[in-house]
């Protein structure tokens, strides 16, 4: 098998490639933040009676909250801020499909490239 | 005190960042690109790690 | 231990310097991870209650023990900067390697960002001064540590060893000063974790807690990045990694025990400073200040290790021309990948200024889990292409393929946990990796030399 000689990349090309990568990184990391996609579904289940008992805190817990500088009123929003887990099947299926598809693509394309590498490396000798 | 500390932090950041930029510039102009990028993967193994089965 | 920094251009070649020992490997691994005990793991309690945090501490501990075992075997054989990147390149193929390197760079850079934010916020919380902004401290952290990394790996990891050890000892001191052998005096575990509130969301909460359970140990696999700078990688890397893992399992257990016995889970799950708060609750100003300083040191050690690791991964990408070879430069005097360090510096700074702690942590975890998934498949392929005995391995992990299967299953569970909290973010991230992979496969790869990528002196893999 003949040896593959890669083209030399020009300076401008190198700079451009770096720019592509940087932009991609920022878009990938920043866009979800901007679109507000990040963060789980948490919401406050408000209670009317704001006492330690109503918030489900026993005397030991209550004394610790007080030591930390909280009253039942200020602790209410922390304690009652709960997750509401539910399985959103369409999203789960999309996620699974995206992940599996991604990994399959990775391994297949890698394998194709890998065979070239092995051929060139071991046929030279 | 904390406010002073915060200004000091900015100061340190700027000084060190400038020093690194200066050193970067100095190195890049002193040495050729061939020398700087002459590191190769696996080259050290050939010397330091005898490969036997 | 000093090494003269001779302006070393021996001949006309410069390379990274082989100066590190097993203690440095330990410091690099534990240093990156230990901050997780000071913040982050406790969000697992928020997701599923105090007991869930303990369960994931053990189960995720198992996941990471598998990671450490698998990693030790592969990396004691493929000892090159870039760690898992070089592994992927030799075992799976170039595109996989490119992705793995990106996982590494993202996981570490975002971890560094989280550390810097944590450090800034801790100082602001301690100061309690109106209008004090954390940006100055974030900038100082990131720039100073980048400078340290720029100046040489030995000093960087010596510093890491000392600050990691101090932070670790402070957890031990806190643990023994709350008389852990008696309940009721300081610790009130049975009153704080009751049958009624141990698992407030039931078992789905335990699954959801996996996401932040990762944070107990995330980054231990970073020890492999030092492979090209360790004096004897085949011995030091497995040794340092395993020792690090044991250290962390002990620290995680102590941290959970103290914190869960001192704070209601609702508070524990939302505070940013579980250990510092525990120290405050003991009422001892000495302990409080000790844990305040330890929190800062742990954050510093972690950010420091992250800069080291991310720069090595980026450097390796440049060296193989996966990215412009410009990044592959080694500083002739300090022998560090200085351009990679400088390039990643502004990126880390930018995200530290705009992201918040929770989000940065999630980005980091996502990239980490993608990488562990790869590792479980990687080890299978490694054993198949080069069966035991066909090449010299520095370390051979026991019970193969059990660790790989365990690791893979736990990764699937963690993906599900991330789905429960950050599903759309996961999809966005994977979409990014997918697109950049297309870019690499169809465009960028043409600049890469083919056979030269395979640098290990191994026989031809079986089946090719």
């Amino acid at each position: 098998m003949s040896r593959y000689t890669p083209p030399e990349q020009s300076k401008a090309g190198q700079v451009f490639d770096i720019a592509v990568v940087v932009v991609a990184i920022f878009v990938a990391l920043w866009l979800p933040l901007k679109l507000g996609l990040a963060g789980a579904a948490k919401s406050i289940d408000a209670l009317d009676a704001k006492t330690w008992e109503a918030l489900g805190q026993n005397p030991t817990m209550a004394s610790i909250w007080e030591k930390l500088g909280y009253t039942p009123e200020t602790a209410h929003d922390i304690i009652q801020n709960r997750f509401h887990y539910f399985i959103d099947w369409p999203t789960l299926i999309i996620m699974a499909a995206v992940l599996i598809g991604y990994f399959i693509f990775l391994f297949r394309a890698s394998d194709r490239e890998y065979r070239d590498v092995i051929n060139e490396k071991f046929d030279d000798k | 005190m904390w406010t002073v500390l915060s200004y000091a932090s900015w100061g340190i950041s700027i000084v060190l960042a400038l020093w690194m930029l200066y050193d970067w510039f100095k190195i890049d102009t002193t040495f050729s690109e061939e020398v700087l990028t002459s590191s190769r993967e696996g080259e050290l193994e050939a010397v330091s790690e005898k490969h036997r089965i | 231990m000093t090494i003269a920094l001779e302006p070393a251009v021996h001949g006309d070649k410069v390379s990274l310097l082989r100066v590190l020992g097993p203690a440095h490997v330990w410091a690099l691994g534990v240093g990156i991870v230990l901050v997780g005990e000071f913040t982050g793991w406790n969000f697992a309690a928020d997701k599923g209650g105090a007991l869930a945090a303990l369960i994931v501490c053990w189960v995720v501990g198992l996941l990471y023990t598998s990671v450490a075992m698998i990693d030790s075997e592969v990396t004691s054989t493929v000892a090159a900067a870039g760690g898992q990147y070089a592994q992927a390149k030799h075992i799976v193929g170039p595109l996989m390697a490119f992705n793995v390197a990106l996982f590494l760079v993202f996981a570490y850079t975002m971890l560094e960002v989280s550390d810097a934010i944590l450090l800034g916020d801790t100082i602001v919380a301690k100061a309690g001064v109106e209008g004090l902004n954390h940006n100055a401290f974030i900038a100082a952290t990131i720039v100073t540590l980048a400078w340290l990394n720029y100046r040489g790996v030995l000093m960087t990891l010596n510093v890491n060893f000392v600050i990691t050890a101090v932070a670790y000892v402070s957890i031990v001191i806190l643990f023994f000063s709350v008389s852990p052998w008696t309940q009721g005096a300081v610790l009130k575990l049975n009153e704080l974790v009751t049958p009624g509130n141990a698992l407030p969301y039931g078992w789905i909460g335990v699954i959801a807690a996996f996401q932040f359970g990762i944070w107990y140990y995330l980054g231990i696999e970073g020890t492999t990045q030092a492979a090209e700078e360790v004096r004897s990688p085949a011995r030091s890397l497995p040794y340092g990694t395993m020792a690090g893992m044991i250290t962390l399992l002990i620290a995680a257990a102590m941290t959970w025990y103290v914190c869960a016995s001192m704070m209601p889970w609702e508070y524990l799950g939302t505070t940013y400073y579980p250990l510092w708060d525990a120290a405050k609750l003991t009422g001892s100003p000495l302990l409080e200040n000790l844990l305040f300083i330890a929190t800062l040191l742990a954050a510093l050690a972690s950010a420091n290790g992250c800069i080291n690791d991310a720069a090595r991964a980026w450097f390796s990408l440049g060296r193989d021309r996966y990215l412009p070879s410009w990044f592959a430069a080694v500083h002739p005097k300090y022998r560090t990948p200085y351009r990679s360090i400088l390039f990643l510096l502004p990126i880390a700074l930018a995200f530290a200024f705009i992201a918040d702690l929770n989000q940065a942590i999630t980005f980091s975890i996502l990239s980490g889990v993608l990488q562990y998934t790869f590792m479980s498949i990687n080890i299978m392929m490694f054993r198949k292409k080069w069966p035991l005995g066909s090449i010299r391995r520095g370390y051979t992990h026991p019970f193969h393929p059990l660790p790989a299967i365990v690791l893979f299953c736990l990764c699937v569970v963690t993906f599900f946990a991330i789905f429960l909290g950050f599903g759309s973010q996961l999809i966005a991230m994977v979409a990014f990796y997918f697109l950049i992979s297309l870019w690499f496969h169809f465009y960028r790869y043409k600049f890469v030399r083919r056979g030269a990528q395979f640098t290990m002196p191994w026989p031809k893999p079986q089946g090719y």
Side-chain angles (χ1 to χ4, degrees), chain A residues 5 53 64:
Chain A
T5 320
E53 291 77 45
I64 293 170

Side-chain angles (χ1 to χ4, degrees), chain C residues 398-417:
Chain C
F399 312 124
H400 179 79
L402 200 61
I405 294 169
V406 169
L407 179 58
F408 186 81
C409 296
L410 291 176
C411 284
V412 172
V413 175
T414 312
F415 277 125
F416 183 71

